[in-house]
Structure formats: structure tokens, C-alpha cells
Amino acid sequence: GQQVMQIPQYQHVQEGEDFTTYCNSSTTLSNIQWYKQRPGGHPVFLIQLVKSGEVKKQKRLTFQFGEAKKNSSLHITATQTTDVGTYFCAGPRGAQKLVFGQGTRLTINP
Amino acid sequence: NAGVTQTPKFQVLKTGQSMTLQCAQDMNHEYMSWYRQDPGMGLRLIHYSVGAGITDQGEVPNGYNVSRSTTEDFPLRLLSAAPSQTSVYFCASSYTYWGTGVEAFFGQGTRLTVV
């Protein structure tokens, strides 16, 4: 079945450094979503990408959807301590299921 | 606006006990799902529902039952708890099907320990 793989599993950076997490699907996705989970919290929706090659920005966060709609990335410029958490990508499996990647846990040294 | 409410927040069970994790949403969402979160495994889908009276299995359904008698409620039942079911459980809802890219709203989670 369709799998959504996410790398890296962990990333530790110095505050101010950039951070990138990658998401790859074994099949073409109709859309991809990104979520952030703060330590001890629940996943919170960040954004969805629908179009091939789409790029969206939210302040220091840049989201990309690959041309083949099988991969995506989230890039954070100049990380801040508020960026700490686990970032998940998610894609639909058919119409009725939402499948998540394993997540990338970001820790930051202030 | 409460959103998605899960109870309890924490629970300790003994092996073999049964219990029900409650999930309720007040957004009139049709789609609801249960996930479990384990270190390094991400969020894995247990069961899901596309409307009242309709449920189906996800990736890891064994040991769990669900029902959906109303649009608002989607309880998850552990039939005979096992230590392998120690995890954090999240309920999520959406107003329509995932293929359109609609966001999932998550509850606060239930942290379950089985001893």
C-alpha cells in the first residue's frame, strides 16, 4: 500500500541555522499536508499543497510539492526556539484515509 | 468552540482490562479517525469513519473496536489491554474527505499506559 516516508527522523540545530525535512510517497498524491506538533501537544495543521511544483511560504517556512506530486519538503530559515517540535507530512490514501509520515523531530540549541 | 475533545487525558490499565477512549467533536464533521503515536513510528491509523453508522479499519486495527452512532462521537474501545497498546492516542476529524486536502483537527490526546 501507499507509504509516506519522512527524513530525517531527528534534527538538532543551533538557533539561527536552517532546517529542512523531506517527505516521499510511493505513489502520486492528490495533495500533501504538513502538521506541527509541539512537545506534549497535538498535531496542528500548517498548510496543504495541491498543485504540481507548488511553493508556499509562511514567514520563515517554505513548503514545496514536487513536480511528480510524490515528494515534498519543508524548509525553515533561521530557526528560532519556537520552531521546536515534530513536523509531519500527510497524504490521502484514497478518499477516506489520511496517512502520516514518521515525522521529523526538531530540537534547537539556543 | 471546543473542537475535538478527548477523554481521559491519562490512563493506566492493567493487562487484560478493557476501556473506552472517548472522542467528541462539535464541528459537524463527517470524517473521524483514531491514530496512535509511538516513538519513531509517526501517527498510525487505527480505525476511521466517514459518517454515522460507517466505520472501517486502518493500518493497525487489531485489539481495537469502534462504533459511530452519532456524527459527534467516535469512541475507541480496547477489548483486552496489552502492554503493546501503551501509546498516545489521537482522535482527528475533518468536514469532508481527505482527497480534497482539507485539514485534520486533532484532539489533545490520551496517554495510555498498560502495565
Side-chain angles (χ1 to χ4, degrees):
Chain A
Q2 174 196 313
Q3 292 188 0
V4 178
M5 308 299 292
Q6 197 172 346
I7 57 171
Q9 189 172 350
Y10 302 97
Q11 185 78 57
H12 180 77
V13 301
Q14 291 289 127
E15 188 174 15
E17 291 181 338
D18 292 356
F19 160 77
T20 304
T21 174
Y22 301 91
C23 186
N24 293 287
S25 170
S26 56
T27 59
T28 300
L29 299 170
S30 60
N31 66 84
I32 196 160
Q33 303 174 13
W34 286 92
Y35 291 78
K36 177 183 179 180
Q37 183 181 25
R38 295 183 184 275
H42 60 281
V44 174
F45 177 82
L46 292 176
I47 206 162
Q48 64 158 340
L49 304 169
V50 180
K51 299 177 183 177
S52 170
E54 189 169 16
V55 178
K56 288 188 175 181
K57 293 188 176 183
Q58 290 180 347
K59 297 183 181 179
R60 295 177 295 102
L61 278 63
T62 301
F63 304 84
Q64 295 188 0
F65 201 10
E67 294 290 339
K69 301 183 75 173
K70 296 177 71 172
N71 58 75
S72 181
S73 65
L74 159 59
H75 179 82
I76 302 178
T77 303
T79 55
Q80 299 175 0
T81 54
T82 54
D83 296 324
V84 164
T86 301
Y87 293 84
F88 292 98
C89 61
R93 178 182 293 174
Q96 300 177 345
K97 301 180 189 178
L98 187 63
V99 178
F100 283 78
Q102 297 92 329
T104 297
R105 182 181 173 191
L106 173 64
T107 56
I108 298 174
N109 199 22
Chain B
N1 189 354
V4 180
T5 302
Q6 288 184 237
T7 56
K9 287 187 171 53
F10 301 93
Q11 183 71 50
V12 178
L13 286 179
K14 293 183 179 179
T15 298
Q17 287 184 318
S18 62
M19 79 160 293
T20 299
L21 279 64
Q22 302 291 344
C23 176
Q25 52 89 11
D26 62 358
M27 297 174 282
N28 201 33
H29 285 175
E30 290 295 328
Y31 279 64
M32 297 186 74
S33 299
W34 276 101
Y35 293 89
R36 60 177 288 173
Q37 184 175 24
D38 303 291
M41 304 293 288
L43 294 159
R44 292 184 293 170
L45 183 64
I46 305 172
H47 285 287
Y48 65 96
S49 170
V50 301
I54 307 170
T55 64
D56 208 342
Q57 296 181 350
E59 303 168 285
V60 289
N62 292 340
Y64 308 95
N65 272 358
V66 292
S67 60
R68 185 100 179 267
S69 57
T70 67
T71 299
E72 294 77 21
D73 299 300
F74 190 41
L76 178 72
R77 280 182 287 277
L78 279 69
L79 308 172
S80 178
S84 60
Q85 294 179 303
T86 294
S87 187
V88 181
Y89 292 85
F90 288 101
C91 177
S93 75
S94 166
Y95 80 91
T96 188
Y97 62 99
W98 309 112
T100 62
V102 295
E103 72 175 276
F105 292 82
F106 281 83
Q108 300 292 325
T110 296
R111 187 174 296 273
L112 176 68
T113 302
V114 183
V115 298

